[in-house]
């Protein structure tokens, strides 16, 4: 499909498979399965073996457009597209041959269990999963991941486990693996439709077919920028929708919102810069080594998203204060984005470390 026809098809799927269910997703924790399946069936997830700059750009646009309507669905989409990238950038040809096609056409869904490993590699936490070698048959996995999103019976997800020899191994395994227990997590401020579970690995036997990368340390360097890149459009879409809400309510009550300190024009200018930087990064030939730039852009995006969501609430006044108003939902979504790994405090630490600005700071200060 051409760029124009792809955009038209995406707009149609959003109208038919997402917009009618946004309230249900937000208020009742409905999982947007039909939307994800429709995107895959339309061929919008990309082609097998093409983890190129153009593919990244198209996926960023897909997430951004989704986030303009529903950040829960966009987050599920981020999980799925990140999982596709994990397999595409992994070392397991069998996973690429037998599992990746189902992820690309929507028959299977993918989750990302890398929140804990990302914190481990940043020096913030230990690895929660351990892998015991079983000779030629694979590994036995033990441990608990407290939160993994976009999971279900036809879902696969990535994890990293450590061995007693100091090795770290990446796996990609199905939710139906024997001795893998899942308990749904709910009661969050928002995004309760994200199919988030705690996962208990009680001697889960992971065969060699599920080994995504035997050297997870090297593999994480290949995927971490994509992990971050696909989060940027979550914020871009939310900012765009918040600006739209401000524009729509500008004339209410005599147009008094024009006296507020933050106006849509200033947020639009910030959005334009963030969008330019994001799409430039998506097609960068050295995306895998653009770590510092990706972290700073992610931080700038979430700060602007928080500002945009709060500004839209102030613009709308009492209409925005209804529990399930669009602006109230986006405010909750913005706080989710601020806490999504890497969280704001995690990002602030990493960017300061990379620039040397954390010198003199201690845990107590």
């Amino acid at each position: 499909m051409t760029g124009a026809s792809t955009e038209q098809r995406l707009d149609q799927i959003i109208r038919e498979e997402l917009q009618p269910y946004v309230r249900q997703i937000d208020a009742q924790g409905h999982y947007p399965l039909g939307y994800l399946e429709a995107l895959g069936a339309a061929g919008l997830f990309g082609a097998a073996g093409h983890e190129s700059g153009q593919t990244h750009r198209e996926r960023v646009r897909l997430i951004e457009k989704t986030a303009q309507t529903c950040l829960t669905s966009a987050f599920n989409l981020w999980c799925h597209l990140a999982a596709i990238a994990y397999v595409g950038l992994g070392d397991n040809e069998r996973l690429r041959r037998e599992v990746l096609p189902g992820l690309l056409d929507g028959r299977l869904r993918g989750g990302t269990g890398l929140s804990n490993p990302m914190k481990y590699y940043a020096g913030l936490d230990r690895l929660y999963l351990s892998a015991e070698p079983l000779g030629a048959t694979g590994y036995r996995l033990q441990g608990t991941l407290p939160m993994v999103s976009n999971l279900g019976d036809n879902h696969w997800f990535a994890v990293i486990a450590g061995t007693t020899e100091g090795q770290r191994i990446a796996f990609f395994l199905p939710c139906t693996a024997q001795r893998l227990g899942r308990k749904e997590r709910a009661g969050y401020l928002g995004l309760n439709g994200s199919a988030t579970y705690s996962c208990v690995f009680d001697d889960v036997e992971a065969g060699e077919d599920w080994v995504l990368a035997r050297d997870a340390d090297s593999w994480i360097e290949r995927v971490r920028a994509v992990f971050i890149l696909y989060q940027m459009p979550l914020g871009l879409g939310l900012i765009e929708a918040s600006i739209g809400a401000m524009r729509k309510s500008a004339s209410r009550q005599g147009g008094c919102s024009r006296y507020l300190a933050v106006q849509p024009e200033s947020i639009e200018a910030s959005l334009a810069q963030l969008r330019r930087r994001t799409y430039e990064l998506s097609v960068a030939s050295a995306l895998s080594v653009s770590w510092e730039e990706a972290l700073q852009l992610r931080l700038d995006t979430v700060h602007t998203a928080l500002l945009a969501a709060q500004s839209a609430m102030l613009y709308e006044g009492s209409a925005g204060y209804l529990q399930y108003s669009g602006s109230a939902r986006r405010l909750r979504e913005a706080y989710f984005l601020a806490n999504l790994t890497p969280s704001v405090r995690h990002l602030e630490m990493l960017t300061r470390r990379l620039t040397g600005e954390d010198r003199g700071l201690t845990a107590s200060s």
Side-chain angles (χ1 to χ4, degrees), residues 262-293:
V262 179
Q263 294 296 310
E265 292 80 9
S266 64
I267 300 177
E268 281 179 327
S270 297
L271 174 60
Q273 290 297 316
L274 293 170
R275 185 176 279 141
R276 177 187 59 77
R277 291 164 61 194
T278 298
Y279 284 92
E280 285 179 355
L281 183 64
S282 71
V283 296
S285 59
L287 175 61
S288 62
V289 297
S290 303
W291 184 233
E292 183 176 346
E293 182 181 355

